[in-house]
Amino acid sequence: MSPFRSLLLFAAVFCLLRPLAASDGDADPLYIGCVEQCEKTGCVGDRCFQHCKFSSDGKPIDGPWYMHEPLYLRWKQWDCRTDCRYYCTLAREEERTKLGDKPVKYHGKWPFRRVYGIQEPVAVALSALNLAMQFHGWVSFFILVYYKLPLRPDKKTYYEYTGLWHIYGILSMNAWLWSAVFHTRAVEFTEKLDFSSAVALLGFSLILAILRAFNVRDEATRVMISAPLIAFVATHIMYLNFYQLAYGLNRIVCTGMVVVQLLIWAIWACASNHLTQWKLWAVVFGGCLAMVLETYDFPPYMGYVDAHALWHAASIPLTFLWWSFIRDDAEFRTLALLKKVK
């Protein structure tokens, strides 16, 4: 079977076998009773929370507890309900472990253990590493095209896709920044920023894949190709932010954009005579394998490492290899254009 057909088969299997997320934990009567009791008494076992003490009108005494913290900590906004849910989840999971039962999801999410108020510390650390790798790749690309490779008489680069890769680098760093923030504290605001940044990055990556693979250099043609895709991505982002944060729809849209651009890069790798096309193939297949991690939705190991965190980890070496290919492509195209000029 050809690599292209293998990739098509993988894309179809991935879309069909994506598992449905269950959330049995928050339907557990013992968990529900624990949360209700906590909100009344302010305690889960021996642990009590000052911010769960209410006055006769139902408002927390002295206002939200996080307003008494230093300014740089207030954004976490842990309140009575979230703390009750968190510690009741831990208590219930300890009971289930003693009984030999497997972990279950609560409110659609696996039970994670906080570290200094950070909800998913491993995912945050890996998001930060991905951000650092994107920054390193973007800076190394900038140095290559402006300081190591020859420039045109007007000081512009010979490489026709320089500006597009700059935008890609900025969008990538922005996406990983908000990924780190979201995994630190998941509230509606950070979730929307994380989703929106990821959609914007995937949408632009798709545009870039089309323009580079089909060697589109004319500005008017670039606009004609990009405009409908930008309109689609912008509409989807506005839908998520101002109408409904639809997880299922967003998963379909993001998966579709990823699969299409992987197919485009795979076709181009087959058809082109690029000197470092092996790097492109490595990124394509590595990206496919990384996507598989998202299908194996297992509970976090020791309360810290889940499939999503492993996907973050897999993205780190792929990012390094991807920017290496981009630099090679810039050098390859520049030398080819210089030969034509001479």
Side-chain angles (χ1 to χ4, degrees), residues 17 75 82 86 97 115 135 139 152 176 209 226 232 237 240 243 249 256 260 302 317 319 323 337:
L17 297 185
W75 67 277
T82 54
Y86 172 70
T97 301
V115 176
F135 179 75
V139 170
R152 297 178 185 271
W176 285 113
S226 303
F232 170 76
I237 290 174
L240 294 176
Y243 184 70
L249 174 63
V260 170
M302 301 293 289
T319 297
W323 277 106
L337 290 171

Side-chain angles (χ1 to χ4, degrees), residues 168-282:
Y168 169 82
I170 293 170
L171 289 175
S172 296
M173 290 184 285
N174 176 71
W176 285 113
L177 170 65
W178 287 114
S179 172
V181 172
F182 169 66
H183 289 298
T184 299
R185 177 67 173 103
V187 295
E188 184 179 2
F189 175 71
T190 58
E191 189 170 29
K192 286 182 176 180
L193 283 171
D194 178 46
F195 278 31
S196 300
S197 300
V199 171
L201 172 60
L202 291 176
F204 186 79
S205 299
L206 177 57
I207 293 172
L208 188 49
I210 295 172
L211 298 183
R212 180 62 190 97
F214 293 97
N215 199 26
V216 180
R217 288 173 285 180
D218 179 67
E219 290 297 328
T221 307
R222 287 185 175 186
V223 172
M224 291 176 62
I225 294 172
S226 303
L229 290 173
I230 292 174
F232 170 76
V233 170
T235 301
H236 181 62
I237 290 174
M238 288 189 292
Y239 179 89
L240 294 176
N241 283 272
F242 303 112
Y243 184 70
Q244 181 184 7
L245 193 59
Y247 299 98
L249 174 63
N250 187 62
R251 185 188 302 121
I252 293 172
V253 170
C254 291
T255 301
M257 289 193 292
V258 169
V259 169
V260 170
Q261 61 188 281
L262 286 177
L263 290 175
I264 291 172
W265 286 119
I267 294 170
W268 187 65
C270 289
S272 70
N273 60 346
H274 205 284
L275 295 178
T276 56
Q277 63 180 358
W278 69 268
K279 293 182 180 180
L280 183 56
W281 272 118

